[in-house]
């Protein structure tokens, strides 16, 4: 049974063969060796050609990961692409996930798919969409409650701070007398 690591490696190799990784085709294990046997010149050449990953490239990698049964993660994207700042990749991956349900709903079903299976697929999409909406609503409600609690605590702390300042100011006045 293939592991996630194997799947990531397979995706990386496929993208490299298609020329979709920075610097064109992936270097062979001996790439970068010149007549003198130096590996450094080749690695510097590849590093200098490295371009930041764009949203379309991330989407392609994430789709391939999903098709391979691997959850797209920042670490997985970096393993396939070879680099990328997690601070830059995380928002891009969130955009991928945000549009995932819509893209799946709009994905055309092949004409050969029997009508009962189409109906099941649409029902599954509806159920998944409802589940996501319910979870989102529950999380939003929990966050609203937490914000209200924090606002109450903040107001109580503000009142306590005012009392302490008045007490301190009253103590300073009595010290002057």
């Amino acid at each position: 049974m293939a592991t996630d690591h194997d799947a990531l490696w397979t995706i990386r190799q496929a993208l490299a063969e298609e020329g979709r990784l920075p610097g064109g085709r992936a270097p062979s294990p001996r790439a970068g060796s010149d007549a003198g046997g130096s590996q450094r010149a080749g690695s510097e050449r590849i590093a200098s050609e490295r371009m930041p990953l764009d949203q379309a490239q991330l989407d392609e990698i994430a789709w391939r990961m999903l098709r391979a049964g691997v959850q797209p993660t920042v670490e997985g994207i970096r393993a396939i692409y070879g680099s990328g700042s997690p601070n830059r990749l995380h928002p891009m991956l969130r955009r991928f996930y945000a549009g995932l349900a819509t893209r799946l709903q709009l994905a055309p079903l092949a004409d050969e798919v029997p009508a009962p299976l189409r109906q099941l697929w649409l029902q599954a999409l509806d159920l998944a969409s409802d589940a996501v909406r319910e979870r989102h609503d529950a999380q939003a409600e929990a966050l609203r409650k937490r914000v209200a609690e924090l606002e109450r605590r903040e107001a109580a702390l503000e009142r306590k701070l005012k009392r302490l300042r008045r007490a301190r100011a009253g103590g300073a006045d009595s010290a002057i007398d």
Side-chain angles (χ1 to χ4, degrees):
M1 181 177 189
T3 64
D4 287 356
H5 179 73
D6 295 335
L8 295 178
W9 179 252
T10 302
I11 294 167
R12 179 170 172 68
Q13 290 301 105
L15 288 169
E17 289 171 7
E18 295 169 17
R20 293 184 173 202
L21 290 180
R25 300 180 75 82
S28 67
R30 287 185 273 159
S33 295
D34 55 15
S38 169
Q39 297 259 342
R40 187 171 179 200
S43 62
E44 286 176 0
R45 180 185 55 81
I46 292 169
S48 69
E49 294 173 6
R50 186 156 311 264
M51 298 293 294
L53 184 70
D54 64 29
Q55 186 68 50
Q57 291 170 309
L58 182 133
D59 290 352
E60 173 67 21
I61 292 170
W63 273 112
R64 288 181 186 226
M65 290 174 75
L66 284 174
R67 281 188 227 113
V70 177
Q71 179 180 349
T73 62
V74 169
E75 294 80 18
I77 300 291
R78 292 182 75 208
I80 291 170
Y81 193 70
S83 69
S85 163
N87 290 336
R88 185 168 183 278
L89 295 180
H90 191 271
M92 294 169 70
L93 190 56
R94 288 182 60 127
R95 282 191 293 276
F96 169 78
Y97 278 119
L100 187 58
T102 302
R103 286 192 297 265
L104 287 175
Q105 286 178 334
L106 298 177
L109 293 174
D111 292 333
E112 314 73 67
V113 176
L117 289 178
R118 286 176 188 255
Q119 187 61 31
L120 282 174
W121 175 249
L122 294 174
Q123 287 175 352
L125 287 176
D126 288 342
L127 288 172
S129 178
D130 290 345
V132 167
R133 193 173 304 109
E134 287 175 14
R135 183 174 178 195
H136 175 266
D137 291 346
Q139 288 175 338
E141 181 60 27
L143 287 173
R144 279 191 288 276
K145 288 179 180 178
R146 181 71 174 139
V147 166
E149 174 61 27
L150 290 173
E151 287 172 347
R152 282 192 294 275
R153 288 176 61 188
E154 181 182 21
L157 289 171
E158 290 281 339
R159 288 190 301 271
K160 187 174 184 177
L161 180 61
K162 285 180 184 178
R163 281 194 308 269
L164 290 171
R165 286 182 177 159
R166 278 188 295 218
R168 178 191 262 177
D173 290 339
S174 63
I176 297 174
D177 293 335

